[in-house]
Amino acid sequence: MLSSIRKQALSKTRHSLLRTFSSTGAVDAEPAMDSAGVAGGEDIVEIALPESSFEGYMLDVPDLTYKVTKGNLLQMYKDMIIIRRMEMACDALYKAKKIRGFCHLSVGQEAIAVGIENAITKRDTVITSYRCHGFTYMRGSSVQAVLAELMGKRSGVSYGKGGSMHMYTDGFYGGNGIVGAQVPLGAGLAFAHQYKNEDVCAFALYGDGASNQGQVFESFNMAKLWNLPAVFACENNKYGMGTAASRSSAMTEYFKRGQYIPGLKVNGMDILAVYQASKFAKHWCVSGNGPIVLEYETYRYGGHSMSDPGTTYRTRDEIQHMRSKNDPIAGLKMHLLDLGIATEDEIKAYDKAARKYVDEQVELADAAPAPEAKMSILFEDVYVPGSETPTLRGRISDDTWDFKKNGFAYRE
C-alpha cells in the first residue's frame, strides 16, 4: 500500500506542464502516436547508429537504423538541457548552503533518464537509486518541486522529508538511498504488472557499485523463474563512489551478469542508442520474453556526491576527454544540425529558454515556505489516510501519537 506522502505527491505532480517548452517558452502538446510508435503528421528522419552502439548477450542486438520524428529528437534535446541546468542549479544551491546533506548529481548521464522516458509510456514504471533528480523530472515532476525537496521545503515532491535521495512521482518509485535495494522492488513492480495483465514493463536501475550485491542476483533469479516484464538496467558510470569498476568487479561486463537472462550493452553517452535500446527492452518484455539486463555505459563528470571532488581517483584529463568527446547533449546537437532539424540560432534559443525556465524554478523553490514547526507533521505520511492504527508508538510512551485526537495520546 502506498503511503499518503506518495499518493499526495502523485496527485500534485500530475498537472506539471513545464516538461516540454518551445523556444518562446510555450508548452508543446504531446503528439498522437500511431501503431508503430511514430507521431502522425510529423517529419520523420532515419537514424543510423554506429556498430559500436550495442553488444548483445544471448540475443540479437537492436536494429542500428530506425525512424524517429524530428519532434522526438527536439524533445530529447530540450529534456537533457533542462536536466543539465537543474543539476547545475543544485550544485550552486548546495555551495550556497541552501541544500544540506547528501546530494548526488547526474551531470554527464542525462541521456539515460531522457532516453528511457522518451521510449516508454507513463503506464510503465521506473525505480532507481539515489542519483534520481533527472528521473523525477522526466517522470512528471517540475524542476521547482525537485529543488524545493532538496531545500527541505513543504512544496517539495516529498514535502521536504526525502531530500536528494528520496523522490517520488506518478509511475516513479524513487530515489532509493539503500544501495541496490531498488532492484528487488523493481522486480515487485514487474510482478504487479504481470499479475494485473498489463501490457507494460518496469525499469529497475542500479549502478555498477551495486551490481555485486546478493539482492540483485536474487531478483534476477526470481524474475526469470516467473518471466517477469523487468528491465534490469545497470548505469555503469565507471566508478562506485571512488572505486573504479575494475577494482571492485571480477567481471565488468555487467550486461552478462544475468547468466540465464539475455543482456544488452548500450553506449549510454549517445541518447539515440539509449532510446533505441530502451524501446527494444520494453518490446522484449511485453512480448513475453521475460526479463532483460541492460548496461548503459556512461560517465559522471562530477564526483560521487557533492562532498567528493572526483579528482583523487581519476585524472582531470580523463574527465575533460569525456566532456569534449562524448557529451550526450553536444552529440545530439550535432545530429540536429546535420539532419537540418534545427539551426544554431534555434538551438541557442532552446538553451536560453531552458536557462530562463530553470532560473525561474529556482526562485520559486527558494521562496517557498519551510514546513510549519508543528509535531503533527512528524506523523504524517506513515499510513494512507483512513487506514491508520489508533496510535503510533513514539520514542518513549509519552511520545505515542493518537491519530483520532491528532495529538499525543498521553499528554494533556
Side-chain angles (χ1 to χ4, degrees):
M1 183 175 288
L2 292 175
S3 69
S4 63
I5 183 172
R6 185 171 295 171
K7 284 211 166 190
Q8 292 173 42
L10 299 190
S11 66
K12 79 173 183 178
T13 56
R14 282 182 191 276
H15 58 77
S16 172
L17 55 126
L18 284 164
R19 187 182 151 241
T20 58
F21 63 95
S22 70
S23 60
T24 59
V27 178
D28 295 333
E30 188 170 328
M33 309 300 283
D34 65 17
S35 60
V38 176
E42 289 198 34
D43 290 338
I44 295 173
V45 294
E46 184 169 275
I47 301 298
L49 297 172
E51 290 189 11
S52 58
S53 298
F54 307 125
E55 184 179 346
Y57 170 68
M58 297 202 310
L59 53 70
D60 294 327
V61 301
D63 291 337
L64 292 173
T65 60
Y66 65 92
K67 293 180 180 179
V68 65
T69 67
K70 293 181 178 181
N72 281 351
L73 295 179
L74 282 174
Q75 187 59 58
M76 287 190 277
Y77 181 80
K78 294 173 183 179
D79 288 337
M80 283 199 293
I81 57 177
I82 283 284
I83 294 174
R84 177 72 59 89
R85 283 283 170 188
M86 177 176 70
E87 295 289 60
M88 290 169 64
C90 292
D91 182 278
L93 289 167
Y94 194 95
K95 290 172 180 174
K97 297 185 178 181
K98 292 186 175 183
I99 295 174
R100 304 279 185 152
F102 295 102
C103 186
H104 304 85
L105 305 182
S106 62
V107 178
Q109 300 183 206
E110 297 89 351
I112 298 174
V114 175
I116 290 173
E117 188 60 36
N118 279 277
I120 63 177
T121 71
K122 293 300 182 185
R123 294 177 59 240
D124 298 292
T125 50
V126 178
I127 187 168
T128 188
S129 64
Y130 42 75
R131 206 176 301 278
C132 63
H133 308 159
F135 285 98
T136 309
Y137 171 71
M138 288 306 301
R139 287 265 85 187
S141 173
S142 67
V143 170
Q144 176 191 353
V146 172
L147 297 177
E149 183 60 36
L150 287 162
M151 289 189 276
K153 302 299 182 70
R154 186 69 165 168
S155 59
V157 73
S158 296
Y159 301 108
K161 296 182 176 183
S164 176
M165 297 190 288
H166 306 100
M167 297 185 178
Y168 310 90
T169 190
D170 200 358
F172 180 60
Y173 292 80
N176 291 268
I178 304 300
V179 177
Q182 70 278 10
V183 180
L185 294 176
L189 291 170
F191 176 77
H193 292 319
Q194 184 187 75
Y195 186 81
K196 294 188 286 186
N197 293 315
E198 295 174 337
D199 192 28
V200 294
C201 69
F203 273 74
L205 295 110
Y206 56 98
D208 51 286
S211 64
N212 297 316
Q213 293 226 341
Q215 59 189 329
V216 173
F217 294 97
E218 292 171 22
S219 302
F220 288 175
N221 183 64
M222 186 173 290
K224 186 58 182 175
L225 278 173
W226 294 344
N227 249 19
L228 300 181
V231 181
F232 297 110
C234 176
E235 290 183 275
N236 177 14
N237 62 20
K238 308 296 186 181
Y239 297 93
M241 295 186 73
T243 303
S246 60
R247 294 183 60 215
S248 64
S249 298
M251 188 184 84
T252 57
E253 293 181 299
Y254 298 104
F255 68 109
K256 297 181 179 179
R257 289 289 192 91
Q259 296 172 278
Y260 35 77
I261 301 176
L264 180 66
K265 183 178 181 180
V266 186
N267 178 3
M269 301 301 280
D270 181 356
I271 192 167
L272 302 179
V274 172
Y275 172 76
Q276 177 73 335
S278 302
K279 286 185 69 176
F280 175 89
K282 174 179 175 174
H283 184 264
W284 175 277
C285 290
V286 300
S287 298
N289 294 312
I292 185 172
V293 176
L294 296 187
E295 176 188 347
Y296 296 113
E297 196 171 33
T298 185
Y299 197 85
R300 54 173 164 81
Y301 297 158
H304 170 71
S305 67
M306 288 299 297
S307 61
D308 170 25
T311 54
T312 58
Y313 49 86
R314 56 185 184 174
T315 66
R316 294 185 185 275
D317 287 343
E318 176 185 316
I319 301 169
Q320 184 56 36
H321 173 76
M322 294 300 295
R323 277 184 174 273
S324 61
K325 302 293 184 182
N326 297 278
D327 186 73
I329 295 175
L332 183 54
K333 175 183 174 180
M334 292 305 299
H335 282 289
L336 296 178
L337 293 171
D338 291 344
L339 293 168
I341 296 172
T343 64
E344 281 279 8
D345 287 343
E346 287 171 335
I347 288 174
K348 286 179 182 178
Y350 300 145
D351 295 343
K352 183 178 179 180
R355 183 168 58 252
K356 180 176 182 290
Y357 166 57
V358 172
D359 288 346
E360 290 170 349
Q361 296 287 286
V362 169
E363 290 181 10
L364 290 170
D366 194 22
E372 294 180 67
K374 58 183 183 180
M375 293 301 295
S376 61
I377 289 178
L378 297 178
F379 299 92
E380 291 176 353
D381 312 314
V382 179
Y383 295 98
V384 173
S387 70
E388 303 95 342
T389 58
T391 59
L392 181 65
R393 187 178 66 183
R395 181 178 57 87
I396 59 176
S397 178
D398 282 353
D399 289 344
T400 299
W401 187 260
D402 187 312
F403 284 103
K404 187 174 182 180
K405 181 181 175 183
N406 196 32
F408 289 106
Y410 309 123
R411 300 187 195 179
E412 294 298 329

